[in-house]
Amino acid sequence: MAALHTLWMGLVLLGVLGVLQTQAQVQVSLQPNFQQDKFLGRWFTSGLASNSSWFREKKKVLSMCVSVVAPSADGGLNLTSTFLRKEQCETRTLLLRPAGTPGCYSYTSPHWGSTHDVWVAMTDYDEYALLYTTGTKGLGQDFHMATLYSRTQTPRAEIKEKFTTFAKTQGFTEDAIVFLPQTDKCMEEHK
């Protein structure tokens, strides 16, 4: 009987630890009093950090892309990004649906069909925004990404440092963080 009680207590403890670990993984702070209308407009993807194997393989050849954030009919956001892929400009639009608290969104991955959650963790609206995305891809593989959006193609050193600190706080290592090089290709698409 004592062994059964010990086993039961061990399972309860593991369950509690599992819940705490799951909650810790999504403990991303949100921009206080997020104002969606101020977040609209053109942004440059200046920095990325990800646990994705695809990202690790391709990060040396990635370059900055331009994104335009516009309101959608459902109260969310249309995020239209134009980027260089195989020497061609490619444009994709994601519908970011509101997910409760202002600054929280979700979207369906066009590639995997899974739902991803996006948090606007920090922004000053005029210069930078730090975003955190999480979801699954493929066969239940966890996906996490931190993104630095900048209103210009040359974010200040302090903004880059803020992004590096943010990414490390989310568990990314130095080698998983990249600042994307500027390119003139595909940047004229959304002036």
Side-chain angles (χ1 to χ4, degrees):
M1 188 69 171
L4 185 58
H5 179 71
T6 303
L7 176 63
W8 184 82
M9 288 301 291
L11 290 173
V12 168
L13 183 57
L14 282 174
V16 168
L17 289 174
V19 168
L20 291 175
Q21 182 181 13
T22 301
Q23 289 176 342
Q25 289 173 352
V26 293
Q27 287 287 330
V28 178
S29 62
L30 273 173
Q31 172 64 39
N33 305 311
F34 179 73
Q35 298 173 47
Q36 182 170 291
D37 60 323
K38 288 184 169 185
F39 188 67
L40 303 176
R42 185 171 71 161
W43 293 96
F44 295 95
T45 303
S46 301
L48 291 172
S50 179
N51 70 331
S52 165
S53 57
W54 175 90
F55 174 78
R56 286 191 300 273
E57 293 166 11
K58 303 286 184 188
K59 72 180 185 178
K60 288 185 174 35
V61 298
L62 295 174
S63 59
M64 190 177 288
C65 72
V66 63
S67 297
V68 174
V69 179
S72 65
D74 70 352
L77 300 171
N78 283 315
L79 175 65
T80 302
S81 299
T82 302
F83 53 93
L84 186 63
R85 182 174 184 214
K86 297 181 182 177
E87 297 304 314
Q88 298 285 325
C89 293
E90 193 169 309
T91 299
R92 292 195 183 152
T93 299
L94 288 176
L95 172 61
L96 301 178
R97 296 177 308 277
T101 309
C104 293
Y105 300 91
S106 68
Y107 70 91
T108 302
S109 167
H111 186 72
W112 299 105
S114 55
T115 300
H116 293 214
D117 297 314
V118 180
W119 293 272
V120 180
M122 193 181 308
T123 185
D124 68 355
Y125 304 102
D126 296 322
E127 193 174 5
Y128 76 96
L130 305 179
L131 282 71
Y132 183 73
T133 305
T134 186
T136 58
K137 56 184 228 180
L139 302 168
Q141 185 181 25
D142 285 341
F143 169 77
H144 305 279
M145 184 169 65
T147 307
L148 167 61
Y149 279 169
S150 175
R151 292 288 189 187
T152 70
Q153 291 186 45
T154 53
R156 293 182 300 117
E158 295 85 359
I159 301 300
K160 288 180 166 184
E161 184 58 38
K162 191 177 290 243
F163 174 69
T164 299
T165 301
F166 170 70
K168 287 179 177 179
T169 301
Q170 302 313 317
F172 295 107
T173 57
E174 193 77 40
D175 66 327
I177 302 169
V178 64
F179 291 99
L180 302 172
Q182 286 180 267
T183 179
D184 293 332
K185 297 177 182 175
C186 308
M187 291 295 134
E188 300 299 317
E189 304 291 316
H190 299 286
K191 278 207 165 184

